[in-house]
Amino acid sequence: MDNSLMHLYCGNGKGKTTAAVGLCIRAAGTGKRVLFSQFMKGQETGEVGILESVPNITVVRSKKEFPFYQNMTEEEKICLTNIHNEIIENIIESIDKKLLDIVVLDELTYPYNWNLINRDLVNNFISNYKGKVEIIITGRNPDKFMVDLADYITEMKCVRHPFDKGVVAREGIEY
């Protein structure tokens, strides 16, 4: 895809994944080939089922659900790291075969910051494929490397959230 750029949707507010999903749908609607990958998520989420039903969108994520990072065993961390690395390697292979126009790396900042992915692999991917495919990265606290390379940076700011009053995440709204 000519003129491909890199997007970074970050911040503590709600809407990072939602923005990425919206871009996927828009792009697929114009015939672009989209890969939506999720990191740190194995549980069912509302967006996955609908994205899998849209022509031109492929969803890639862990088929196994893991606990929150702070509750993971060392074995679970190693297993999840291997899954994350495999996702990136498969994305690279698909781009090299000219099968993709847009790649979403949803929640990538978390495994990157927590060393649950090979950071050199991610850095090389971004460095080598930025400009060849549109890259969208979501998550909180992006590394300076990502910030420096991003063409778009959208920060979602939380002004108020019902979680602060004890309201738990609701299906179809937060996941």
Side-chain angles (χ1 to χ4, degrees):
M1 188 166 127
D2 295 330
N3 302 319
S4 296
L5 301 174
M6 181 174 148
H7 308 233
L8 184 57
Y9 302 151
C10 57
N12 292 328
K14 180 179 172 357
K16 297 174 288 293
T17 297
T18 304
V21 168
L23 191 146
C24 288
I25 292 168
R26 174 180 287 153
T30 63
K32 295 194 179 358
R33 299 160 303 167
V34 179
L35 183 123
F36 181 84
S37 61
Q38 281 190 319
F39 299 86
M40 304 299 297
K41 291 181 180 176
Q43 78 279 12
E44 290 300 315
T45 60
E47 67 269 13
V48 170
I50 197 71
L51 287 176
E52 289 176 333
S53 73
V54 177
N56 296 331
I57 297 179
T58 302
V59 176
V60 178
R61 62 202 305 260
S62 173
K63 296 193 183 340
K64 182 178 177 184
E65 189 173 342
F66 290 87
F68 287 113
Y69 175 75
Q70 61 270 23
N71 299 327
M72 282 186 196
T73 65
E74 281 307 308
E75 293 80 22
E76 288 171 326
K77 289 177 183 178
I78 291 168
C79 181
L80 187 55
T81 299
N82 290 334
I83 291 168
H84 289 159
N85 291 338
E86 186 177 318
I87 289 171
I88 295 293
E89 290 164 356
N90 289 337
I91 290 170
I92 291 169
E93 186 178 313
S94 293
I95 295 170
D96 287 344
K97 291 179 178 177
K98 310 254 187 269
L99 300 175
L100 299 173
D101 301 306
I102 296 175
V103 174
V104 173
L105 305 162
D106 185 42
E107 310 286 10
L108 179 68
T109 62
Y110 303 104
Y112 190 93
N113 292 337
W114 297 334
N115 292 309
L116 294 175
I117 196 165
N118 180 325
R119 289 174 67 130
D120 289 336
L121 179 65
V122 172
N123 292 349
N124 289 334
F125 165 72
I126 293 170
S127 296
N128 293 327
Y129 291 93
K130 180 182 184 278
K132 296 179 181 175
V133 295
E134 200 86 1
I135 298 173
I136 297 89
I137 297 173
T138 73
R140 295 179 181 183
N141 304 313
D143 187 81
K144 183 179 182 326
F145 174 79
M146 294 176 191
V147 171
D148 289 346
L149 287 177
D151 299 294
Y152 294 86
I153 299 177
T154 302
E155 184 175 0
M156 311 297 186
K157 178 182 174 188
C158 183
V159 176
R160 179 179 302 134
H161 197 290
F163 181 78
D164 298 333
K165 293 182 180 178
V167 177
V168 298
R170 298 166 299 144
E171 183 178 23
I173 306 298
E174 282 85 25
Y175 68 94

